[in-house]
Amino acid sequence: MKFTQTTLKVGELATGQELNVPVYRLLAQDLSAPSVFIQANVHGAEVQGNAVIFQLMKQLEAMDVKGEVTLLPLANPLGINQKSGEFTLGRFDPITGVNWNREYLDHKVDVASWYQAHSHLDDRALIQAYRSLLIESCQSHLNSEWGVTTGKRLAVTLQSMAHAADIVIDLHTGPKSCKHMYCPEYDAASASYFSIPFTLVIPNDFGGAMDEAAFCPWWQLSEYAQSQGRALDVPISAFTLELASQERIDMDDALNDAQGILAYLSHRGVIDDRVEPARMPRFGCYLKDYKKFHAPTAGMVEYKAELGKPLAAGETLANILRLDLYGTDKELTALSLQQDCVPILHFASASVYQGTELYKVMTNLFEL
Ligand SMILES: [Zn+2]
């Protein structure tokens, strides 16, 4: 079965050209199988997800796919084309400064009154009604008489499509990073299917990202239903995968990550083919134990700690070189942490201001 291609308009340039995102779709063969929405490259420099989508399409076209699959590579045309010199900026809307991945809509559903009005519905009808509410909320936001910002238009247009799916996967990368993923706590067992060694287990707090936009309203509904004595599992799964470093395309590695996604889709019954997850150690930590380390002084940085490898307390994380202080005890300073950790990502540049977010590290890890 071949993917069909359409385009999704997400904005317009000053000179009138449309900003379009390619949409690839396989229609459902079995309406009871879960549907899938995967997007890549909402942050302009984080291109590897496109390669993963390419490999996914090649694999899926040879498989027995039951559920609807919708793939959006190149999901942020403005961000991807936001170049400066050799680099792609593309993390923040250049007009407003807002992170492109913090623009998704918090519907602020009054879950208690909505549930009271709909509690007579069976699970299937209840889920359908709630899904319609979320999609209509996106549409009415986009059609506001006051308009919406460029970033909101992009995000909420994507979100509206994501709400139609049962499984939402947002493909990102870190700056310089090892592979890791964000997984909601209720779904932590699912992390064991992906080809990703480190998982951040996240709570039900909306911070503006796509994965949270997809699962938070459903988690709230599930919790409220439970408080009313009705068992309702969260029917939506949503993950953000961080596929190593930005400004990097690696086709072999993309195939590896596509296999991990297929293992999850196989487990969920989206595809009839059996795809086994990679055998590898997997570790997690709670989001509260994911620590940011900020540069205590400015300078030139030698990043010493290897990403994805345990670093004992007191071992050198990075060296800060200060040529303006040559001959003093500040000329070369080794930085270390007071607790054991696994460094997950570091800043992309080797020169930093004081206070730059230098490393992000996992602490208090556990085996998944
Ligand atoms: Zn990102």
Side-chain angles (χ1 to χ4, degrees):
M1 221 167 30
K2 294 286 179 198
F3 277 89
T4 58
Q5 185 186 356
T6 53
T7 54
L8 176 70
K9 184 183 169 188
V10 294
E12 294 172 356
L13 292 176
T15 42
Q17 287 88 350
E18 286 189 2
L19 294 169
N20 287 316
V21 174
V23 178
Y24 291 97
R25 185 170 277 138
L26 281 181
L27 291 179
Q29 301 303 304
D30 173 357
L31 290 174
S32 66
S35 57
V36 183
F37 172 94
I38 302 178
Q39 66 176 21
N41 213 177
V42 162
H43 284 142
E46 303 178 6
V47 292
Q48 176 69 357
N50 298 311
V52 172
I53 285 181
F54 175 88
Q55 299 288 29
L56 269 177
M57 289 201 285
K58 290 288 181 197
Q59 299 280 311
L60 285 168
E61 286 188 337
M63 288 179 160
D64 185 5
V65 183
K66 297 295 183 195
E68 183 173 288
V69 177
T70 304
L71 306 173
L72 279 76
L74 309 172
N76 181 356
L78 207 52
I80 296 163
N81 287 302
Q82 198 188 334
K83 307 285 287 188
S84 182
E86 298 168 49
F87 301 102
T88 311
L89 303 177
R91 188 168 183 79
F92 305 97
D93 178 335
I95 309 295
T96 60
V98 179
N99 186 324
W100 292 110
N101 191 30
R102 298 291 180 277
E103 292 273 23
Y104 297 97
L105 200 59
D106 182 357
H107 300 293
K108 297 196 169 71
V109 180
D110 179 352
V111 177
S113 18
W114 187 90
Y115 183 80
Q116 294 308 336
H118 295 82
S119 60
H120 60 281
L121 298 173
D122 64 24
D123 284 1
R124 193 186 165 87
L126 188 81
I127 288 167
Q128 187 52 48
Y130 198 65
R131 195 191 292 278
S132 299
L133 170 80
L134 300 178
I135 293 172
E136 280 160 21
S137 168
C138 286
Q139 293 306 324
S140 73
H141 194 82
L142 289 170
N143 295 326
S144 157
E145 62 172 314
W146 300 103
V148 289
T149 63
T150 309
K152 270 280 186 275
R153 176 170 301 283
L154 170 70
V156 179
T157 302
L158 296 170
Q159 183 178 355
S160 177
M161 284 184 78
H163 279 318
D166 303 306
I167 297 168
V168 175
I169 302 178
D170 195 9
L171 302 177
H172 284 252
T173 79
K176 296 286 181 188
S177 176
C178 66
K179 286 182 201 173
H180 57 291
M181 64 180 285
Y182 290 84
C183 184
E185 195 172 356
Y186 68 82
D187 220 351
S190 295
S192 302
Y193 291 91
F194 296 91
S195 304
I196 293 190
F198 297 102
T199 295
L200 289 154
V201 178
I202 56 179
N204 196 5
D205 293 329
F206 183 75
M210 172 56 108
D211 54 352
E212 298 159 344
F215 71 66
C216 279
W218 292 99
W219 198 345
Q220 287 157 7
L221 178 66
S222 168
E223 285 188 336
Y224 189 78
Q226 262 168 35
S227 77
Q228 301 302 300
R230 177 170 175 174
L232 181 72
D233 287 340
V234 185
I236 301 299
S237 297
F239 313 100
T240 298
L241 273 49
E242 304 278 351
L243 305 162
S245 301
Q246 63 188 21
E247 298 285 18
R248 161 187 175 268
I249 291 285
D250 182 323
M251 297 309 294
D252 291 340
D253 201 28
L255 182 57
N256 188 30
D257 283 306
Q259 288 296 123
I261 293 171
L262 290 170
Y264 177 70
L265 298 186
S266 166
H267 157 69
R268 292 292 308 272
V270 177
I271 52 178
D272 220 18
D273 308 68
R274 195 169 173 86
V275 181
E276 296 293 338
R279 283 169 189 240
M280 55 190 283
R282 292 178 178 82
F283 298 91
C285 88
Y286 290 103
L287 195 61
K288 67 177 173 56
D289 292 325
Y290 190 40
K291 301 293 190 189
K292 297 174 180 172
F293 179 70
H294 299 91
T297 64
M300 306 294 131
V301 185
E302 181 183 21
Y303 296 98
K304 292 294 284 182
E306 203 178 330
L307 300 171
K309 292 273 156 55
L311 185 77
E315 284 186 333
T316 300
L317 186 67
N319 289 318
I320 302 260
L321 178 65
R322 288 290 295 259
L323 265 296
D324 57 319
L325 298 174
Y326 181 72
T328 75
D329 62 352
K330 304 252 172 27
E331 61 182 19
L332 186 64
T333 305
L335 303 175
S336 62
L337 301 174
Q338 291 173 19
Q339 59 179 312
D340 297 350
C341 71
V342 174
I344 297 295
L345 60 84
H346 68 67
F347 195 58
S349 170
S351 65
V352 299
Y353 299 151
Q354 186 178 38
T356 294
E357 192 180 290
L358 209 56
Y359 270 93
K360 282 168 104 169
V361 307
M362 285 187 174
T363 62
N364 299 323
L365 288 87
F366 45 83
E367 205 159 343
L368 282 177

